[in-house]
Amino acid sequence: MKNFGRVITAMITPFAEDGAVDYESAAALARHLIAHGSEGILVGGTTGEGAVLSEEEKLKLYDCMVKAVGAKAEGQKVPVIGNVGEIDTAASIAFAKKVEKLGVDAVLAIVPYYVKPTQEGMFQHFKAIASAIHLPVILYNVPGRTSACIQPATITRLVDACPNIVGIKDATGNWDQVTQEKMLLPEDFMVYSGDDSYTYPILTAGGVGIISVSSHIIGDDMLAMVDAYEKGDVKKAFELHKKTYPINKGLFFITSPIPVKTAVNLLGLPGGKFRLPMVEASESEKAHIIQMLKDYGLM
């Protein structure tokens, strides 16, 4: 089974002053991330404000990432994962087929939000998407945003039915959920933490790493934590868990990706502007982010 990296950054999408996607800045940011702890890139997800990107913009952005750091890039090639999940199964399938042609390494599909499907509805939704393409599929379970949670037994049914469903981004924050996933699913099924502060606990339950927000700014430490745990240095891994915890929690004090994009810009990296309904951090919020960065030694 292909490994997509232990630290995968769920990358922000830089927008220019006029609101257009800044593809050049996106490519530059991706290359920076790869140089600082990220072993893979996820594009067009929640952190990337994917919900407000048009299909045309997403396809161009995914292609840009593949050419910048992925299969078509010169030099080091890293896995690129494209988000294809929507609440509309037919639309997700149609888009996934287009994304597959770009040369991405895998796709991410979220539990349908707003509609709150049953477990059978989730099974049929993901089965239809996975059966329509040949790419590996990573499920995304984030009940805090979708108001629905795919259960371990349903994931097991899906893996049995669709061999190309290879992993999950688990943002449930639920120890029982993760434990059951590892008990029921094949050993090589990849469980990624979908919550930066939950990375260490998920590693202890047999997870493979993190699909991360904070790796935009502390990627080297996040990778060092995962690497230390893999090598059996649990003490070092836990020390890094404690070190990174203030950032891993702090970047979510208001709606993500506002704090992380603000932090990226404050550090002189190409974060770019927001697209409504995301807005710039207020002065007090910005001051709080600056203090976090100073406390961590980043400023």
Side-chain angles (χ1 to χ4, degrees):
M1 181 178 292
K2 183 176 178 63
N3 188 315
F4 301 107
R6 296 165 295 173
V7 175
I8 300 169
T9 296
M11 205 179 89
I12 59 176
T13 301
F15 296 106
E17 290 285 350
D18 64 359
V21 176
D22 187 341
Y23 299 101
E24 184 176 335
S25 290
L29 179 60
R31 287 189 286 265
H32 170 84
L33 295 172
I34 296 307
H36 292 279
S38 296
E39 295 184 330
I41 296 291
L42 167 65
V43 197
T46 306
T47 313
E49 298 174 74
V52 296
L53 293 172
S54 70
E55 181 177 295
E56 180 182 3
E57 287 173 328
K58 283 190 279 191
L59 289 171
K60 186 174 179 180
L61 183 61
Y62 298 1
D63 184 56
C64 174
M65 291 298 99
V66 171
K67 291 174 179 174
V69 299
K72 298 178 184 177
E74 295 182 8
Q76 185 180 13
K77 297 172 175 62
V78 302
V80 175
I81 303 165
N83 172 41
V84 300
E86 302 287 347
I87 60 175
D88 180 339
T89 306
S92 298
I93 291 170
F95 184 56
K97 288 180 177 179
K98 294 178 182 179
V99 171
E100 185 169 29
K101 295 176 182 178
L102 299 177
V104 301
D105 296 273
V107 298
L108 182 85
I110 194 169
V111 169
Y113 43 90
Y114 184 73
V115 294
K116 297 197 289 188
T118 64
Q119 293 300 305
E120 182 62 26
M122 292 184 209
F123 173 78
Q124 296 296 342
H125 172 78
F126 289 120
K127 180 175 180 289
I129 294 171
S131 298
I133 58 175
H134 300 288
L135 286 172
V137 177
I138 299 173
L139 308 177
Y140 182 20
N141 197 18
V142 55
R145 284 189 181 264
T146 65
S147 297
C149 180
I150 186 168
Q151 296 299 318
T154 305
I155 302 169
T156 303
R157 286 181 65 199
L158 281 164
V159 171
D160 289 343
C162 305
N164 61 326
I165 295 179
V166 298
I168 189 165
K169 177 183 178 182
D170 188 301
T172 61
N174 185 324
W175 180 252
D176 288 338
Q177 172 94 10
V178 176
T179 302
Q180 289 175 35
E181 287 167 0
K182 293 305 298 181
M183 289 174 64
L184 294 173
L185 290 154
E187 184 64 30
D188 61 354
F189 183 82
M190 296 177 289
V191 177
Y192 284 96
S193 176
D195 181 339
D196 284 290
S197 65
Y198 212 63
T199 305
Y200 181 83
I202 281 188
L203 291 173
T204 68
V208 296
I210 171 72
I211 298 180
S212 175
V213 173
S214 65
S215 54
H216 283 88
I217 58 174
I218 56 168
D220 291 319
D221 281 346
M222 293 300 288
L223 181 61
M225 175 171 58
V226 178
D227 189 61
Y229 191 87
E230 275 192 352
K231 292 177 179 177
D233 194 342
V234 177
K235 182 178 180 181
K236 180 180 178 181
F238 188 64
E239 289 303 314
L240 284 162
H241 168 65
K242 290 189 291 184
K243 178 185 178 182
T244 58
Y245 188 81
I247 290 284
N248 286 340
K249 289 295 286 187
L251 286 178
F252 299 92
F253 79 100
I254 54 173
T255 305
S256 185
I258 296 172
V260 69
K261 185 176 268 193
T262 303
V264 167
N265 284 321
L266 285 167
L267 293 175
L269 298 170
K273 299 295 183 179
F274 294 89
R275 183 177 281 182
L276 286 171
M278 288 293 113
V279 295
E280 300 286 338
S282 69
E283 287 304 313
S284 62
E285 291 163 349
K286 187 175 179 181
H288 182 69
I289 295 165
I290 290 171
Q291 192 60 52
M292 277 196 294
L293 296 176
K294 287 181 177 179
D295 290 344
Y296 202 85
L298 293 169
M299 289 183 74

